[in-house]
Every structure is written in structure tokens, then in C-alpha cells.
Amino acid sequence: MQPRDIGRLIDIGSPAVSPDGSRIAFAVRRVDLDKDRYRTSVWLADADGATPPRQLTGSEHGDSSPVWSPDGTRLAVVTSTGEGGASLRVLPLDGPGEPVVLCTRDEGISEVAWSPDGARIAFVSRERTARYDQGDDDRSRGPRRIDRLFSRLDGEGWIIDRPSSVFVVDAAGAGTPRIVAGGPFEHSDPAWSPDNRTLVVAAGREKDWDLSETRGLYLVDVDDAGAEPRLLTTTPALYALPSFSLDGDRVAALVADEHLAVPANAHPVVIDVTTGAETRLAGSLDRTCRPFPGARAPVWDGEALLFAAEDGGAVTLHRVGTAAGDQPELLVGGDRVVAGYDRAGGTTALLIGDPTHQPELYVLDDAGEPVRRTGLTDAFHAEVPAPMPERLGVPSPAGDGDIDTWVLLPTGRGDGPFPTLLSIHGGPMAQYGSSWFDEFRLWAGAGYAVVWCNPHGSTGRSESWLQAIRAPEAEVAPGTGWGGIDADDVMAALDGALEAYPQLDRDRVGVLGGSYGGYLTTWLASHHPDRFAAACSERAVNNIESNEWSSDAGGLFHWEFGVTLYEKPERYRAMSPVHDAAAITAPMLILHSEEDLRCPPEQADGLFVALRLLGKPVEYWRFPGESHGLSRGGAPRNRVRRAQIILDFFGRHLGGDRPDEMPAG
């Protein structure tokens, strides 16, 4: 794989099964390098595979998020209007009629939900406050009043005067949308009751909600404009992604416990609508049931729920009854990733990927086996074959189990020795999965062996594994802090790979990662300077102290660590690798986006200034107009440029292939 092959990637998402189970709608995103944009469209596939899948939409700026009407005759889709706006459209599928535009907004539209009678549609969009009536641009509108944390969001900009609200609109296009749950609170995840009168939504609405790590579920009377949403949940916890049972007596959702909601595994829960009594489910798994990406509300299947879980790099699909003590049943497991799923009319649709293939659409047959229904990525994989990575179980220095570790060797390069790249994932509450990953294929295509792992602090393991990197001073679940057992695990995984594979060149090892992975890259480069010949720290947290007040998630780190900056400033400083820059000897590549609100550019600036003043070898590339997610959803040409810069840097210092093209610098 070469950098420009990024322009050939296809992503499939949002599978939605028709009510009768006969058809599946899904979204397809393609990369258009020539026009430097993504093209999204909605497709239809027959569940039985009788006819080939076909493209249904082709709007200029793209269509996504298909949702079936309850009678299966119409499909709601979100159509981009460009410049961040969107329209909600309804497409007739069976019989005559033209698409109906229900509304067009200057903001995005998401989380579309039909009422069970098909008469109304709920959706989420940002509602601009009266400040936006004061002028044509921000400068003419005067200052913003900020009275809470989380006033900005990466990729969205300022949200303090654009709260996320729930709207309801007539599905026939007869009226304008009206807010049923709005600011100043942030609402999400609307789901209808069977009687069409109530929405359940997720929100934090209590006093000083921004100072809490919890979110509750609220019931909204759709027809009573003056009624306040009623709190359904009675336990302070982090609730998300609700769905009503068919009888309307219960709500299923995902929940993570109070005090540990940030570094905690989420599980399904069923809540009695009348009493608020809860039944926690699938606790025996001790895995997070809110995979990232791809989390969705649990799907009711009679008196049971379908849900996904992360497990040692895989994402699996399970079914569990809703009575206390019911044990989950594994439906789809193995060394693969269920990237999305839905069930209706007796049909279960899934998006399944594995280490050598991007996700495609599958359905479960009568024997419960996945049967493929699309092959949109087949041509790419035929031309750019992907060898299977090899998996190692490397004992953790903590003595509590093996670190899931993978090694990918370059093909067609003889027996080595190969320059080696150690890649570290972000999060830290995330996992490297059993899935095809473009970056690993790019590095292997340039002649590198690639090593990656899921150290302590990663998801896909037990809650104790996840919480092991909380601060030592935390009152609940104390750990080593960042740069503790997580760093030791990564080094152990590298040593395990070097021992198992003599083809890896010990003297030509580079390390790279983004976000938290960038943090650990900087940390390892400063704490193990003799081990790495080069390092690339991307969109990193290098100064946890300053990131606690400059990030869009400012105020979140004390939930992560269990102590605040103001209680234990020395802990935040000790975990910040920018203060150890003098120990770095390897050449350092710093990459950052200028619109990054999660880890603002000052995080990169601080590391660059320190290294430059110390006379260390460092180069720094900034991407204008890009946010924290550049490598996944940035402008296609910038994704190519980023890959070229990384390969050129490591090519100069480790000896791998350098790209034929390079961006002007």
C-alpha cells in the first residue's frame, strides 16, 4: 500500500434492516482525492442476496444515516448541504412519490428516529442561541458568555451557544421542526416509546452538570411543550444509547458506574419506566459493551437484547435475556470486528472486518453463521493484498496476564533484518482491533515490520486492567498513573516481538502514535532514549497540566486520574513528558492540526520549543484547517500528505522506503 492508495478506501456504515427483514440500507463513503473530499451515498441490499446491492442516492454533498419508516415503505436520510449544514429527507421506496425535504438546517443532523406510527421523526441538531441573530459573523456578534466546562468540541468548534438539542418534525413535511429537549443542556440519543408520546433522551440536566461525570436518561412528553423532561434513572452513573421495549414498560441502555465512569466498562441495563428500578446485565463479561467506534443502543430481540463488546482486539456480538442473572450468549466471535449491526423482521445484519479485510455487509443465516452480502472492497484487496499479522501473548510486567501483541512483517523483502515501527494507540480507553488498518499497511508497504499492542489502560480487557493507569493517589482504584505500567507494557511487547522475530532489526526501531499514543511516544523517547532511532509524536498530550485547562475536554482528566490538578499538581507534572525533553536523543517528528481542540497545538508547541532550545533534532509539521481526527477524517489530500511526511522521516532515519512525492514545507 502506498500513500495515494488512501484515495481508494471505502468505508461502509450505518446498517439498517427493514421492518420485514427483507432489505438492508447502509451508507458507503468513498475518498475523492482529485476533489479532496469524501463522497457518501446510501445503498440497498437484499437480505437474501437475490439481487446485487445497488446505490440508492447520489446527492452532491452526500447522504448518510439511513433509517426505515415503521411500515418499511420510506427511508429517512441525512443529506449534507455543504459548509456544515444538512437536510433531513424522506425517500419513497415502494410506489410513486418524490423525495420530501422535511427541513434544512445550518447545523448537522444526526440520530434520526421515526415514531412508531410513522407520523413524526425525532433528530438531534445544534440550536443556535440568540447571539447568532446579532450579526453576520462572530466578530460582529460580540463576546460569548462562558459559564460551564465543555464549551467547545473538537471538530465542532464553540458549542456553548449552540447546544445539542432534540427536535421533532412531521414526517410528511407539513411543518417546521420544534425543540422538545433543548439548551443550555446537551441532549442526545432520542428513542420513541411505542405509544408515540414520549422520547427517552440522554443528558446531564442537574445543577452543575458540567462538574459531574454522570449523565442520566430523561423522559420527554413530546406533545406537552411546557413539560420539563422527567429523570428516569435513579442511580448517578453514565447512561447512553437508550431504546424502548416493544411494550413500552422498560428502557434498555448502556451504563458505566459512578466515580469510574471515565475509566470503566459499560454494560447493558434495563430500567423500569414506572419505578426506575434497574437490572444490570452481562456483568460476567467484564468487558466494555460500548465499543469505539460503532457503539449503538442495545437492540431488542423479543425479551432479549443484542449488544456488542470489545474483547482482546476483537469486537463480538452477544444476546442476553433481560432477567437478573441471565448469562450472555455469544452470537459472533472470533478474530474479527463487528463494526456495526442491526436486527429486524428476523434478519440480523452486521458489518464485519478482520485483520486482512475492511468491513463488508453480512447477514446471519439460519445456523447463525455470517454470510457475505457485499464485496465493495474486493477490488482494492485483490490489488493490495494484506498478509495476516501474527499475534503474540507477551506477559505483562504487572503479572496479571498477557499483553495482546501483534506483529506484521513486510512481504517481498527477503528475510530481513527489517526496520521496525512500534505503534501506540490513542485513548487510552481504546483498543487496537482485529481489523484491517490502513496505517499498518502503509508502514509495511514501505518495508517496515510493525508492532502494536493493547497495554494496561486499554479497553477490550477487564475493568481492573483499564483502571490500572489511574493516579497512585486516587481514592478509588489507584494505579500507576500514565507513563507507568502502560509504558512498561509497551516496552515488554516490543521486547517480546524482538525476541520472537529475529528478522526485526533492534538497532532500527522507531516509535509513533497519536493523541494518548503521541503522549506515550514522547514519554518513551525521553525515558528509553537508547531504544529508539527515531520517534513521531502526533496530536499528543505532552503537558497534562496545561491540557487540563486548554482542551475541549478540560476538567475531564481528574475523572481519568482520580485526583485534580489542584490537589496534586506534582502528579500532573510528573506524568508530563515535556519536562523530560532534555533526555530525548532520537530525532523527533511532531505532527499537529491547527484546529485541534482535544489536544490544542500548544501541546506540540511546548515540545518543539523545548527540543529546539536544547539543540535536539526535531521537525514540526502543522496542518491548517484540520482537527484532532486528521488521520481518520481529515481532508483526503492531507491524509496522504501526513503519510508521506511520516514515511519520509522514518525513511531518512531507519532506512525504509521514502515516498516519491512530498508536500511543500
Side-chain angles (χ1 to χ4, degrees):
M1 184 172 175
Q2 301 300 316
R4 292 196 66 83
D5 287 326
I6 290 172
R8 303 170 64 190
L9 299 182
I10 297 174
D11 296 311
I12 303 176
S14 305
V17 182
S18 64
D20 65 0
S22 66
R23 293 177 290 183
I24 304 161
F26 56 97
V28 176
R29 187 184 80 160
R30 299 177 185 270
V31 180
D32 186 339
L33 271 184
D34 291 336
K35 295 192 174 180
D36 199 24
R37 55 175 290 188
Y38 298 97
R39 297 191 178 277
T40 59
S41 56
V42 172
W43 285 54
L44 283 179
D46 290 337
D48 62 6
T51 61
R54 64 184 179 90
Q55 184 174 334
L56 179 65
T57 71
S59 302
E60 178 183 359
H61 297 289
D63 305 289
S64 61
S65 307
V67 184
W68 291 92
S69 64
D71 64 3
T73 64
R74 294 171 291 170
L75 199 66
V77 300
V78 175
T79 299
S80 174
T81 59
E83 302 300 323
S87 293
L88 179 61
R89 297 195 300 150
V90 171
L91 313 179
L93 296 183
D94 299 314
E98 296 294 326
V100 177
V101 177
L102 304 188
C103 64
T104 299
R105 297 184 54 77
D106 293 332
E107 299 281 352
I109 293 173
S110 62
E111 301 173 57
V112 175
W114 286 83
S115 63
D117 61 5
R120 295 182 286 189
I121 295 178
F123 64 89
V124 173
S125 186
R126 295 201 171 276
E127 176 65 7
R128 299 180 178 184
T129 65
R131 178 179 175 272
Y132 284 82
D133 298 331
Q134 298 173 9
D136 296 329
D137 55 35
D138 259 356
R139 188 173 184 179
S140 64
R141 291 173 187 138
R144 289 182 172 88
R145 181 176 184 268
I146 299 172
D147 56 4
R148 63 170 170 84
L149 301 175
F150 312 121
S151 58
R152 297 172 296 158
L153 184 63
D154 186 69
E156 291 270 354
W158 288 101
I159 61 172
I160 189 75
D161 50 7
R162 300 163 51 237
S164 180
S165 302
V166 177
F167 294 76
V168 170
V169 66
D170 184 90
T176 58
R178 60 185 179 88
I179 295 177
V180 296
F185 311 106
E186 293 279 312
H187 296 86
S188 64
D189 307 339
W192 288 91
S193 63
D195 65 5
N196 307 290
R197 297 174 53 189
T198 303
L199 285 168
V200 59
V201 301
R205 294 180 57 96
E206 72 279 6
K207 186 179 184 295
D208 296 330
W209 61 271
D210 61 312
L211 301 178
S212 170
E213 61 177 331
T214 64
R215 275 169 73 85
L217 299 181
Y218 288 81
L219 298 175
V220 179
D221 188 330
V222 176
D223 296 314
D224 188 346
E228 283 291 307
R230 175 174 72 85
L231 181 62
L232 169 63
T233 48
T234 59
T235 302
L238 184 65
Y239 294 87
L241 299 166
S243 58
F244 265 100
S245 62
L246 294 180
D247 59 14
D249 293 339
R250 294 159 295 165
V251 167
L254 299 177
V255 62
D257 285 331
E258 183 188 17
H259 301 307
L260 295 172
V262 175
N265 285 337
H267 293 282
V269 62
V270 173
I271 306 164
D272 186 283
V273 171
T274 302
T275 66
E278 294 186 3
T279 303
R280 300 285 181 100
L281 304 171
S284 61
L285 282 181
D286 200 12
R287 296 289 188 270
T288 186
C289 302
R290 189 177 179 178
F292 175 80
R296 61 154 300 163
V299 176
W300 287 88
D301 183 21
E303 282 298 304
L305 297 174
L306 300 187
F307 66 93
E310 294 184 1
D311 187 15
V315 178
T316 52
L317 185 69
H318 301 258
R319 186 178 190 269
V320 66
T322 53
D326 284 350
Q327 294 301 305
E329 171 194 2
L330 179 65
L331 298 181
V332 179
D335 189 25
R336 52 192 171 185
V337 167
V338 177
Y341 66 96
D342 192 32
R343 179 171 173 82
T347 295
T348 301
L350 313 99
L351 301 178
I352 298 179
D354 61 37
T356 60
H357 296 88
Q358 299 169 77
E360 293 281 358
L361 180 68
Y362 289 73
V363 297
L364 293 186
D365 64 15
D366 292 340
E369 291 298 319
V371 180
R372 207 164 184 240
R373 288 290 179 254
T374 62
L376 298 178
T377 66
D378 286 351
F380 173 79
H381 287 304
E383 296 182 30
V384 187
M388 176 70 79
E390 299 185 29
R391 185 166 182 156
L392 300 175
V394 178
S396 169
D400 58 350
D402 286 350
I403 310 157
D404 293 318
T405 305
W406 292 264
V407 178
L408 178 63
L409 298 177
T411 58
R413 303 280 179 152
D415 297 326
F418 305 121
T420 301
L421 292 180
L422 172 66
S423 182
I424 309 172
H425 71 64
M429 288 168 290
Q431 67 166 1
Y432 271 146
S434 300
S435 58
W436 186 93
F437 187 32
D438 61 336
E439 296 191 27
F440 297 161
R441 300 301 169 177
L442 283 165
W443 314 154
Y448 297 96
V450 188
V451 179
W452 64 94
C453 67
N454 288 329
H456 278 84
S458 305
T459 53
R461 299 292 291 269
S462 69
E463 197 160 80
S464 61
W465 184 280
L466 179 64
Q467 294 164 359
I469 58 173
R470 283 167 61 82
E473 300 86 354
E475 291 185 9
V476 179
T480 67
W482 285 16
I485 186 58
D486 50 350
D488 294 342
D489 277 357
V490 172
M491 293 304 298
L494 174 62
D495 288 338
L498 291 172
E499 181 178 353
Y501 293 89
Q503 309 97 305
L504 276 57
D505 192 334
R506 294 174 175 268
D507 297 323
R508 291 189 294 161
V509 176
V511 58
L512 74 166
S515 195
Y516 164 80
Y519 163 87
L520 267 187
T521 294
T522 308
W523 180 274
L524 293 179
S526 60
H527 287 73
H528 299 274
D530 59 326
R531 296 298 305 276
F532 300 103
C536 171
S537 181
E538 181 178 11
R539 59 180 186 279
V541 181
N542 293 308
N543 187 338
I544 300 175
E545 297 172 272
S546 63
N547 209 58
E548 176 70 327
W549 60 68
S550 63
S551 171
D552 66 340
L556 182 67
F557 280 101
H558 79 278
W559 299 119
E560 179 110 5
F561 300 134
V563 293
T564 69
L565 169 64
Y566 308 103
E567 294 169 330
K568 295 292 181 181
E570 66 277 9
R571 171 55 55 193
Y572 281 66
R573 183 178 180 87
M575 293 189 297
S576 299
V578 70
H579 301 302
D580 302 310
I584 296 175
T585 58
M588 176 70 75
L589 171 64
I590 302 173
L591 301 178
H592 222 95
S593 297
E594 295 190 350
E595 302 298 322
D596 191 338
L597 298 181
R598 185 62 40 84
C599 301
E602 60 93 7
Q603 293 291 312
D605 296 344
L607 180 60
F608 173 76
V609 169
L611 292 174
R612 185 67 182 140
L613 287 176
L614 289 165
K616 306 284 186 175
V618 59
E619 55 188 273
Y620 180 14
W621 293 77
R622 291 172 65 119
F623 287 82
E626 297 290 356
S627 63
H628 192 68
L630 164 63
S631 64
R632 300 175 294 273
R637 290 177 188 171
N638 277 340
R639 290 177 63 187
V640 172
R641 291 166 181 143
R642 168 188 171 273
Q644 292 168 337
I645 291 168
I646 292 172
L647 288 175
D648 179 73
F649 172 78
F650 282 117
R652 284 183 275 123
H653 296 289
L654 300 184
D657 296 347
R658 296 172 65 183
D660 295 332
E661 302 176 63
M662 273 290 290

